[in-house]
Amino acid sequence: MLGRPGWSRATRSIHTRILLSYIALIVLSGGLCAVAIHEVLLIRLESQVAEAVQQEFLEIDRLIADGRDPRTGTAFSSVPDVFDVYFRRNVPSHEEALLAFVDGQLHHAALSRFPIDRLPDPTLRVFATSARPYAVTDGSPPLGRFDTSRGEAYYGILPVRVGASTGAFVVTVLPVTQRREIADLQTYAASALLGVALLASGCAWLLTGRILGPVRQLTETARLISQSDLTRRIPIARQHEAAEMARTFNAMLDRLEAVFRREREFLLDASHELRGPVTISLGNLGLLRQRLTDDEAGTTIALISDELDRMGRIVGDLHLLADVPHPQFLQPERIDLETFVADLAVKVSALARRQWHVDALPEGVLVADRHRLTEAVVNLADNAVRHTSEADTVAIGAAVRPDRVELWVRDSGCGVALGDQPYIFDRFRRGTGAYLRYPGSGLGLAIVRAVAEAHGGRVELLSRPGSGARFTLVIPRPEGEAHRGADPDR
């Protein structure tokens, strides 16, 4: 009982099913071949028997056609004279019997080489009374059959007439030896089939095991994979379908590992960022339990409110980033770019006192989510404000290309350090020294990139330290979408 689950699992494995199918195919093919060969051998046996009977018929027919009794030199006067001469000259072949009947009575019987000593009486009566006319030709005579203790025998009957005398010449064959050879051949064939099946099964087991090796490795790898260990991969040895499957599976694991790694980083960063506001708020709430003065309590409450507001903004940004994969994240509509950019310029100019400019107001239409693009541009403008002073320039603009629309925000501030540029759009990543200049969560640029990618586009950065920065949203446009205007900078 304990071994039954393992045995059941083994019989359900694809390796075992392929092997069993292969064995079944071999056995079925061998069985059909054995039946076909057996039938061919039986047909050949009957053909040989018919040729033997035909040979005897031809000899007695030639004797009758010659018409002279060699003993006297005179013509045959009766059927018994023909039979006497024939039986004196001819001896039956192996497993053959010759019989002659005259007027329904047995006249001669040569059974010395026949496998049985005596023919059944019913068969003898059939021979004596049911002689069928048969014209001797080069073709095979019709054969009858009767059962004996040594198996089925074949016979042919030739009617004989000489003058007014009539008789019947019977040739019967009982091929015991040939049937035994056929049976032996079948036994040898069955043994050979069994040997071939065993040998082929062993080869098939090894071959299918080798072919299914990558599948087993894939299964084992998938079984061992967990969220905490996504480093296992299937080795790729050769260029074939299994290698392609292994490459595809490994690529999927690479993507899963990247997703889980980003998830872990996100959770670590989120917990780190939220821990500060929570700790500060809890600490100050502890102070409130003590008997603080009104001025101290007001200051503490203001500090707590500020930290809770910051935490609320972080949670809101995280919620927005979590909604990006949702199908309803975007609500596309037709946007008039000229009006849209002009409205954006008015909105962002209220963020802080800067030298605000509009680089370009393009004419054209873009199908996109107005609110998400507004949020992205405002985040870019807010980021520019944080890295500039009142004397610096902050500008926005847009350009229409044949296949895309570009929305940018540029500034003349301190720029982005070269070491920060590859990571500036990651969640909770801020530029070097940014925490000294202003508070923030490091999610604003991550939201910008998420909005761009949700539209099927991207965000680009062009910056040199000390020379400002230009952030560009690249939004693809469907082919054939109507557009007007051109980029004044190009």
Coordinates of all heavy atoms in Angstrom, one line a residue, residues 52 71 93 104 197 213 267 307 313 326 337 346 365 391 416 438 441 445 457 460 472 485:
A52 N 1.4 -30.1 -56.3 CA 1.7 -31.5 -56.2 C 0.5 -32.4 -56.7 O 0.7 -33.4 -57.5 CB 1.9 -31.9 -54.7
R71 N 2.6 -53.1 -70.8 CA 2.8 -54.5 -70.5 C 2.5 -55.3 -71.8 O 3.2 -56.3 -72.0 CB 1.9 -54.9 -69.4 CG 2.2 -54.3 -68.0 CD 1.2 -54.6 -67.0 NE -0.2 -54.1 -67.4 CZ -1.3 -54.3 -66.7 NH1 -1.2 -55.0 -65.6 NH2 -2.4 -53.9 -67.1
S93 N 4.6 -39.0 -53.0 CA 5.6 -38.1 -52.4 C 5.5 -38.1 -50.9 O 4.5 -38.8 -50.3 CB 5.5 -36.7 -52.9 OG 5.7 -36.6 -54.3
G104 N -17.1 -46.9 -57.8 CA -17.5 -46.6 -56.4 C -16.7 -47.5 -55.4 O -17.0 -47.4 -54.2
A197 N 11.4 -6.2 -28.9 CA 10.6 -5.3 -28.0 C 11.4 -4.9 -26.8 O 11.5 -3.7 -26.4 CB 9.3 -6.0 -27.6
G213 N 15.1 15.0 -20.7 CA 15.9 15.5 -19.6 C 15.6 16.9 -19.4 O 15.4 17.3 -18.2
L267 N 9.3 47.4 -1.3 CA 8.9 47.2 0.1 C 9.9 47.8 1.0 O 9.5 48.4 2.0 CB 8.6 45.7 0.3 CG 7.4 45.1 -0.4 CD1 7.3 43.6 -0.1 CD2 6.1 45.8 0.0
E307 N 4.3 65.8 9.2 CA 4.8 64.5 8.9 C 3.7 63.6 8.4 O 3.9 62.8 7.5 CB 5.4 63.9 10.1 CG 6.7 64.5 10.5 CD 7.8 64.4 9.4 OE1 7.9 63.3 8.8 OE2 8.4 65.4 9.1
R313 N 1.0 61.9 1.4 CA 1.5 62.0 0.0 C 2.2 60.8 -0.5 O 2.0 60.3 -1.7 CB 2.4 63.3 -0.1 CG 1.6 64.6 0.0 CD 2.5 65.7 -0.5 NE 3.7 65.9 0.4 CZ 3.7 66.6 1.5 NH1 2.7 67.2 1.9 NH2 4.9 66.6 2.2
H326 N -3.4 48.5 -13.9 CA -4.8 48.3 -14.0 C -5.3 48.7 -15.4 O -4.8 49.8 -15.9 CB -5.5 49.0 -12.9 CG -6.9 48.6 -12.8 ND1 -8.0 49.1 -13.5 CD2 -7.5 47.7 -11.9 CE1 -9.1 48.5 -13.2 NE2 -8.8 47.7 -12.2
L337 N -3.3 70.1 -28.3 CA -2.0 70.3 -27.7 C -1.8 71.8 -27.4 O -1.2 72.1 -26.3 CB -0.9 69.7 -28.6 CG -0.9 68.2 -28.6 CD1 0.1 67.8 -29.7 CD2 -0.5 67.7 -27.3
V346 N 0.2 77.8 -17.2 CA -0.5 78.6 -16.1 C -0.4 77.8 -14.8 O -0.2 78.4 -13.7 CB -1.9 78.9 -16.5 CG1 -2.6 79.6 -15.4 CG2 -1.9 79.7 -17.8
V365 N -3.4 67.3 -32.3 CA -4.3 66.6 -31.5 C -3.5 65.3 -31.0 O -2.9 64.6 -31.8 CB -5.6 66.2 -32.2 CG1 -6.4 65.3 -31.3 CG2 -6.4 67.4 -32.6
A391 N 16.1 83.0 -9.6 CA 16.7 83.6 -10.8 C 16.9 82.7 -12.0 O 17.2 83.1 -13.1 CB 18.1 84.2 -10.5
V416 N 21.6 67.2 -13.1 CA 21.6 65.8 -12.5 C 23.0 65.3 -12.6 O 23.6 65.2 -13.7 CB 20.6 64.9 -13.1 CG1 20.6 63.5 -12.4 CG2 19.2 65.5 -13.1
Y438 N 15.8 69.8 0.2 CA 14.3 69.8 0.3 C 13.8 68.5 0.7 O 14.5 67.4 0.5 CB 13.7 70.2 -1.1 CG 14.0 69.2 -2.2 CD1 13.2 68.1 -2.5 CD2 15.2 69.4 -3.0 CE1 13.5 67.2 -3.5 CE2 15.5 68.5 -4.0 CZ 14.6 67.4 -4.2 OH 14.9 66.5 -5.2
S441 N 9.8 62.3 -1.2 CA 9.8 60.8 -1.1 C 10.5 60.1 -2.1 O 10.7 58.9 -2.0 CB 8.3 60.4 -1.1 OG 7.7 60.7 -2.4
L445 N 9.5 61.3 -9.9 CA 10.0 60.9 -11.3 C 9.6 59.5 -11.6 O 9.4 59.1 -12.8 CB 11.5 61.1 -11.3 CG 12.0 62.5 -11.2 CD1 13.5 62.5 -11.3 CD2 11.4 63.4 -12.3
G457 N 5.0 54.9 -24.1 CA 6.1 55.8 -24.4 C 7.2 55.6 -23.4 O 7.4 54.6 -22.8
E460 N 12.7 60.7 -21.2 CA 14.2 60.9 -21.5 C 14.7 62.0 -20.7 O 14.0 63.0 -20.4 CB 14.4 61.2 -23.0 CG 13.9 60.1 -23.9 CD 14.0 60.4 -25.4 OE1 14.3 61.6 -25.7 OE2 13.9 59.5 -26.2
T472 N 12.0 64.9 -20.9 CA 11.0 64.9 -22.0 C 10.1 63.6 -22.0 O 10.6 62.5 -21.9 CB 11.8 64.8 -23.4 OG1 12.7 66.0 -23.4 CG2 10.8 64.9 -24.6
G485 N 1.4 71.3 -37.6 CA 2.4 72.0 -36.9 C 3.8 71.3 -37.0 O 3.8 70.2 -37.4

